[in-house]
């Protein structure tokens, strides 16, 4: 229900009232595609950013691979994302069969599983980094929600790429979530924006953040009980 309501609000406020560009794509499907991806990303970041503190009572008593906690959180959120994705596909197929939208899937649908995998790794990486830092700096956890809200508006969820000046495009695409959402839309709609270079760059950033998060996690887990 939540992504549907968010999509409806975005369609009315940003699409109809503000008239923000949607790269020539149907407004409702455009916003829903961005919303379900961002909803998964933000929910995993929120859930994993509290890994050490929320599970300190377990980690202090029983030994198990600590990294299993954020991994399981990322995987469990796939269930709700799968339901939202199924709703998106149903509406998407209805629009195609009824001819209410001039869209066609592209060969890049094969990249959709990679897009989902990247978002899972990226969100888990950010969550683990924040969780590792909050063991010492507790106030940081209070900024996560606010930071995600700002990050959402720096990502093409509520607007199309046409809104970004060409001279700032390279800097804008350094946001690793941006190429994922653009690739997802391009795969389903067959139009929009897709760049192999920027998409590969987003994977490089994702893997770099994953490596940093694992190293930081392994370092913190050795003595986190002394600071939690």
């Amino acid at each position: 229900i939540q992504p549907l309501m968010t999509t409806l609000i975005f369609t009315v406020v940003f699409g109809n009232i503000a008239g923000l560009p949607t790269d020539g794509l149907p407004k409702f499907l455009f916003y829903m595609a961005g919303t379900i991806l961002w909803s998964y990303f933000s929910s995993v970041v929120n859930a994993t950013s509290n890994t050490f503190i929320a599970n300190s009572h377990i980690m202090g008593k029983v030994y198990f691979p600590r990294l299993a906690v954020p991994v399981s959180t990322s995987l469990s959120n796939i269930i709700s994302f799968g339901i939202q994705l199924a709703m998106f596909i149903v509406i998407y197929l209805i629009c195609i069969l009824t001819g209410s939208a001039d869209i066609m899937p592209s060969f890049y649908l094969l990249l959709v599983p990679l897009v989902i995998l990247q978002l899972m790794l990226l969100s888990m990486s950010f969550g683990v980094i924040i969780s590792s830092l909050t063991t010492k700096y507790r106030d940081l956890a209070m900024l996560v929600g606010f930071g995600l809200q700002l990050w959402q508006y720096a990502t093409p969820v509520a607007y199309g790429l046409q809104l970004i000046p060409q001279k700032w495009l390279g800097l804008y695409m350094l946001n690793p979530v941006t190429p994922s959402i653009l690739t997802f839309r391009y795969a389903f709609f067959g139009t929009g924006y897709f760049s192999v270079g920027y998409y590969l760059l987003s994977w490089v950033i994702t893997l770099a953040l994953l490596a940093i998060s694992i190293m930081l996690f392994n370092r913190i887990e050795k003595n986190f009980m002394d600071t939690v």
Side-chain angles (χ1 to χ4, degrees), residues 137-148:
Y137 307 103
R138 296 294 185 89
D139 293 341
L140 185 62
M142 307 175 82
L143 299 176
V144 174
F146 178 69
L148 284 172

Side-chain angles (χ1 to χ4, degrees), residues 144-226:
V144 174
F146 178 69
L148 284 172
Q149 287 182 345
L150 291 180
W151 194 349
Q152 180 179 356
Y153 291 107
T155 307
V157 176
Y159 55 86
L161 206 62
Q162 297 172 350
L163 198 65
I164 308 300
Q166 190 65 32
K167 64 179 181 179
W168 297 111
L169 183 61
L171 180 63
Y172 183 77
M173 295 297 284
L174 290 178
N175 175 1
V177 185
T178 295
S180 298
I181 293 179
L182 293 175
T183 302
F184 183 87
R185 285 176 176 151
Y186 192 86
F188 276 96
F189 303 139
T191 57
Y193 182 88
F194 174 73
S195 170
V196 175
Y198 283 130
Y199 183 63
L200 291 177
L201 177 61
S202 69
W203 262 105
V204 171
I205 296 173
T206 298
L207 294 177
L209 288 172
L210 180 64
I212 293 172
S213 66
I214 292 175
M215 289 188 293
L216 190 58
F217 188 94
N218 290 334
R219 181 178 178 181
I220 295 295
E221 72 164 338
K222 297 176 181 178
N223 56 2
F224 83 98
M225 288 303 298
D226 298 330

Side-chain angles (χ1 to χ4, degrees), residues 22-194:
T22 57
D23 296 337
L25 300 173
K27 293 178 182 178
F28 190 84
L29 286 175
F30 175 88
Y31 290 123
M32 190 172 185
T35 299
I36 61 174
L37 291 178
W38 182 261
S39 176
Y40 173 72
F41 174 79
S42 60
S43 62
V44 173
V45 171
N46 270 316
T48 55
S49 63
N50 204 28
T51 297
F52 282 113
I53 297 175
N55 298 280
S56 59
H57 61 289
I58 300 176
M59 294 180 175
K61 296 178 181 179
V62 181
Y63 176 77
F64 61 93
R66 311 300 193 206
L67 202 57
V69 177
V71 170
S72 64
T73 301
S74 303
L75 293 176
S76 62
N77 276 275
I78 283 287
I79 299 174
S80 58
F81 173 76
I83 296 172
Q84 296 167 10
L85 180 61
M87 289 191 296
F88 169 78
I89 292 175
V90 168
I91 299 173
Y92 171 81
L93 292 176
I94 290 174
C95 290
I96 291 180
L97 295 175
T98 58
S100 58
D102 186 19
I103 52 175
M104 285 298 293
S106 71
F107 177 76
Y108 291 98
L109 275 175
L110 297 175
L111 290 178
V112 170
L114 282 177
V115 169
I116 298 171
L117 175 62
Q118 182 190 6
L119 281 179
M120 182 179 72
L121 296 177
L122 185 62
S123 56
M124 185 180 68
S125 300
F126 272 106
V128 167
I129 291 173
I130 295 171
S131 179
S132 300
L133 295 176
T134 51
T135 57
K136 186 175 182 180
Y137 307 103
R138 296 294 185 89
D139 293 341
L140 185 62
M142 307 175 82
L143 299 176
V144 174
F146 178 69
L148 284 172
Q149 287 182 345
L150 291 180
W151 194 349
Q152 180 179 356
Y153 291 107
T155 307
V157 176
Y159 55 86
L161 206 62
Q162 297 172 350
L163 198 65
I164 308 300
Q166 190 65 32
K167 64 179 181 179
W168 297 111
L169 183 61
L171 180 63
Y172 183 77
M173 295 297 284
L174 290 178
N175 175 1
V177 185
T178 295
S180 298
I181 293 179
L182 293 175
T183 302
F184 183 87
R185 285 176 176 151
Y186 192 86
F188 276 96
F189 303 139
T191 57
Y193 182 88
F194 174 73

